[in-house]
Amino acid sequence: MEATPRPACRAFFVALFLTLHACTPKLEADQPPMPDDYKGVSLRSEAYMTAMPELVGQVVDAAVKWAVDGPKPEEPWLQGAMVAHDKKHQIISVDFGNGGAWAGDVWRSGLLRITYTELRLVDEATYRISLINFKIDHVLLEGDFSFTYRSKGAPTERKYEVRWEQGRFTWPDGTYAIRQLNHIRTIHLAHLPMHNEYSWEGVASGVNRHGYEYSSIVTEQLSFRRTCLVVGKVFPSCGKVESTMKGVSFIVDYGEGDCDSDVRVTINGEISTMQLSSNF
């Protein structure tokens, strides 16, 4: 898997990055002073928001496969959920109810509803996801979420354009972040589905938990490994993201493919290491 985006693709995402940043709601000039913990909280929050679209994607993939092929009791991303398929209205509902910890001890609760234009994979098939009191690790996810299938790619690849408009993440302590995202998600199919990998590239922007605007761009493709995800290692196993907030540049390097939560962080040229956790 090539780690660095192609020049034409990179140019597209840079232009989109500037557009998204320009559209991010502006904050008041008299913002509160930056708290002492803003770097750690911002980094962990950005990593969490980077990981969550793939976890939603795992549920969507599993639900669509359930609707096409029938129930698979061993499917980890549907454990604990009631799944229903309304063929007339082209809706798949995945209801985790009051919640539980499955698939690597990752807590899920609430309802995820998928409205599709085509169930099987054809170009431009779109899955629109409604998140109804839906939480992952007790963080409430909201917004207009869609996956649109793009068939261009190798036979062992499936590409989706992923958009998240008016995204909002609300943590148990009441703090929240706003995010809009435009990424390309590629599924790299292995001989056994357990060894599939999922890469992401694109841009995002919004307002973080401290109320400051941020923007981010994937500078080296992010890669998630299914073997890591199912044991609760929800963050990318490799790839880099560069974020900017209030004049501060963050580069998060997720490593070389290990199933861990360790990242290398560069902040305005200063390098350190950090261990990520969604439980904060």
Side-chain angles (χ1 to χ4, degrees), residues 87-109:
K87 296 180 181 179
K88 179 179 178 180
H89 298 99
Q90 299 181 233
I91 296 173
I92 306 168
S93 299
V94 183
D95 190 351
F96 291 99
N98 293 327
W102 302 283
D105 206 30
V106 177
W107 179 277
R108 285 158 291 170
S109 62

Side-chain angles (χ1 to χ4, degrees), residues 182-203:
N182 192 313
H183 277 198
I184 296 296
R185 177 191 188 228
T186 304
I187 303 177
H188 304 271
L189 301 171
H191 180 65
L192 295 175
M194 180 57 69
H195 298 290
N196 286 354
E197 295 189 9
Y198 311 83
S199 63
W200 291 72
E201 54 185 323
V203 297

Side-chain angles (χ1 to χ4, degrees), residues 39-257:
K39 291 181 180 178
V41 171
S42 295
L43 284 167
R44 289 184 170 89
S45 300
E46 173 64 26
Y48 184 88
M49 292 188 291
T50 297
M52 287 308 100
E54 178 54 43
L55 296 193
V56 173
Q58 291 288 320
V59 177
V60 172
D61 292 345
V64 170
K65 187 172 178 59
W66 180 96
V68 173
D69 298 334
K72 300 289 184 182
E74 70 278 9
E75 173 50 57
W77 294 101
L78 297 180
Q79 288 177 1
M82 294 291 293
V83 185
H85 185 195
D86 181 347
K87 296 180 181 179
K88 179 179 178 180
H89 298 99
Q90 299 181 233
I91 296 173
I92 306 168
S93 299
V94 183
D95 190 351
F96 291 99
N98 293 327
W102 302 283
D105 206 30
V106 177
W107 179 277
R108 285 158 291 170
S109 62
L111 175 64
L112 188 149
R113 182 175 293 148
I114 305 160
T115 303
Y116 58 87
T117 58
E118 296 284 347
L119 187 56
R120 295 187 181 273
L121 294 177
V122 296
D123 203 23
E124 305 296 328
T126 298
Y127 308 99
R128 300 192 182 280
I129 294 92
S130 299
L131 306 169
I132 303 169
N133 199 31
F134 183 72
K135 298 179 182 180
I136 296 180
D137 276 341
H138 304 285
V139 177
L140 179 67
L141 278 59
E142 300 172 279
D144 301 322
F145 206 176
S146 67
F147 289 70
T148 300
Y149 182 66
R150 309 295 188 194
S151 62
K152 298 174 183 176
T156 56
E157 293 181 344
R158 294 177 181 169
K159 290 183 178 291
Y160 296 84
E161 180 183 359
V162 182
R163 299 180 67 88
W164 200 335
E165 303 290 343
Q166 301 176 336
R168 178 174 170 133
F169 298 74
T170 303
W171 276 262
D173 65 1
T175 59
Y176 66 90
I178 297 171
R179 192 173 186 86
Q180 55 183 355
L181 168 151
N182 192 313
H183 277 198
I184 296 296
R185 177 191 188 228
T186 304
I187 303 177
H188 304 271
L189 301 171
H191 180 65
L192 295 175
M194 180 57 69
H195 298 290
N196 286 354
E197 295 189 9
Y198 311 83
S199 63
W200 291 72
E201 54 185 323
V203 297
S205 65
V207 180
N208 74 2
R209 291 172 74 185
H210 284 312
Y212 296 102
E213 294 176 42
Y214 69 88
S215 52
S216 66
I217 183 169
V218 177
T219 56
E220 292 186 11
Q221 280 186 348
L222 299 173
S223 179
F224 296 82
R225 294 165 52 192
R226 187 171 171 88
T227 51
C228 299
L229 293 171
V230 297
V231 295
K233 302 300 183 181
V234 301
F235 298 105
S237 57
C238 61
K240 294 181 181 180
V241 177
E242 182 173 358
S243 301
T244 303
M245 181 197 68
K246 206 161 172 63
V248 178
S249 173
F250 302 89
I251 299 175
V252 181
D253 183 345
Y254 287 94
E256 302 297 331

